Amino acid sequence: MYCIGFCCWGTSTDISSCAVLVLLSRRAAGCRCLSFGLNLVCFFSCRYMCSLSLFHYSEYLVIAINNPRSLSLDSFLLNHSFEYNLAAVSSWIEFTVEKVIYPEMKQITWLSTIGLLMVIFGECLRKAAMLTAGSNFNHIVQNEKSDTHTLVTSGVYGWFRHPSYVGWFYWSIGTQVLLCNPICVTGYTLASWRFFRERIEEEEITLIHFFGEEYLEYKKKVPSGLPFIKGVKVEL
């Protein structure tokens, strides 16, 4: 305001100089805003990549601790399925497109923070479930009962029958909330829910075959942990 007022009373040279200063100030402010926006986007995407990397690395690490005989490169779960990889690529595409078209959408810090908390909760719950299950945990549903198989009902298994799936469910949705991806939040929720519903039903058929009445009693007392998924129905 002082500069503009001074120019109004000064010479044409003063006015030109002041106009240049105003223009440079506006450009500097614009650069600062752009830099701030890019920093926020980098902050969100870095948190996402760290979460993704930690998830897959810790999957391998926990299997190495719990069940080293079943350890392989597949334990990273990087090649979990075509659908899983497609979902990941879709989220990257959505993030990039929305960042270009509507960058403000990727600067909602409170929403991204909620997503990060969901990611942390899901990651911690899943790894706690894997460590509690010990050698009983396997990435592949087992069709034959080994001598070391026991029904784990303590720890986080006292809260949910399938805590590792509950953790993965909320972790996957949290990654998309973290990225502020509205389309993938919906898609991940529906796809994950359907996958775990089918997986739980398949797994519980095996568990009932392995443990019989012991598992049925456990099933009556402890919920699956996932919304609207009760597990396999048993007709007496």
Side-chain angles (χ1 to χ4, degrees):
M1 292 298 293
Y2 173 80
C3 182
I4 294 174
F6 176 79
C7 289
C8 290
W9 293 99
T11 65
S12 60
T13 303
D14 295 330
I15 294 174
S16 299
S17 300
C18 204
V20 171
L21 289 174
V22 171
L23 181 60
L24 290 175
S25 298
R26 288 180 176 177
R27 287 186 177 181
C31 288
R32 286 195 296 270
C33 291
L34 177 60
S35 177
F36 179 71
L38 289 175
N39 287 337
L40 278 176
V41 169
C42 289
F43 184 55
F44 292 165
S45 57
C46 286
R47 289 199 294 185
Y48 167 78
M49 291 306 298
C50 288
S51 300
L52 191 66
S53 300
L54 177 62
F55 175 83
H56 287 287
Y57 176 73
S58 59
E59 289 289 312
Y60 183 90
L61 180 61
V62 175
I63 291 296
I65 295 171
N66 280 352
N67 198 354
R69 288 182 298 177
S70 66
L71 188 67
S72 69
L73 289 177
D74 292 339
S75 300
F76 281 109
L77 293 184
L78 292 171
N79 58 342
H80 179 270
S81 65
F82 171 77
E83 291 79 8
Y84 181 81
N85 294 331
L86 179 62
V89 173
S90 299
S91 72
W92 304 338
I93 293 174
E94 180 185 352
F95 180 83
T96 303
V97 171
E98 291 173 350
K99 171 182 169 293
V100 172
I101 296 175
Y102 188 39
E104 292 81 4
M105 180 185 292
K106 304 306 178 185
Q107 299 175 15
I108 309 175
T109 53
W110 65 267
L111 182 60
S112 182
T113 300
I114 291 176
L116 180 61
L117 293 175
M118 291 175 66
V119 166
I120 294 172
F121 166 76
E123 176 75 15
C124 292
L125 179 60
R126 178 167 172 83
K127 295 314 180 287
M130 294 172 67
L131 290 170
T132 302
S135 61
N136 292 285
F137 186 90
N138 198 301
H139 283 138
I140 301 173
V141 176
Q142 303 297 292
N143 295 318
E144 296 183 5
K145 182 181 179 183
S146 69
D147 296 335
T148 59
H149 272 161
T150 57
L151 180 61
V152 180
T153 60
S154 60
V156 290
Y157 287 87
W159 306 344
F160 313 117
R161 296 199 308 275
H162 302 278
S164 66
Y165 295 158
V166 176
W168 197 350
F169 178 76
Y170 287 108
W171 175 88
S172 66
I173 298 171
T175 61
Q176 300 312 299
V177 177
L178 190 156
L179 290 175
C180 302
N181 280 354
I183 297 175
C184 280
V185 166
T186 303
Y188 271 51
T189 301
L190 296 175
S192 298
W193 185 88
R194 181 178 179 181
F195 171 79
F196 287 122
R197 183 193 62 182
E198 295 174 354
R199 181 71 175 250
I200 286 173
E201 290 178 355
E202 176 188 357
E203 186 171 307
E204 289 196 335
I205 291 173
T206 301
L207 290 169
I208 291 171
H209 176 69
F210 285 178
F211 302 108
E213 191 65 30
E214 183 183 4
Y215 186 79
L216 291 176
E217 287 299 317
Y218 172 64
K219 185 176 182 295
K220 290 178 183 178
K221 297 176 182 178
V222 181
S224 71
L226 290 167
F228 309 109
I229 297 180
K230 296 182 178 181
V232 66
K233 295 181 180 180
V234 180
E235 295 182 2
L236 300 177

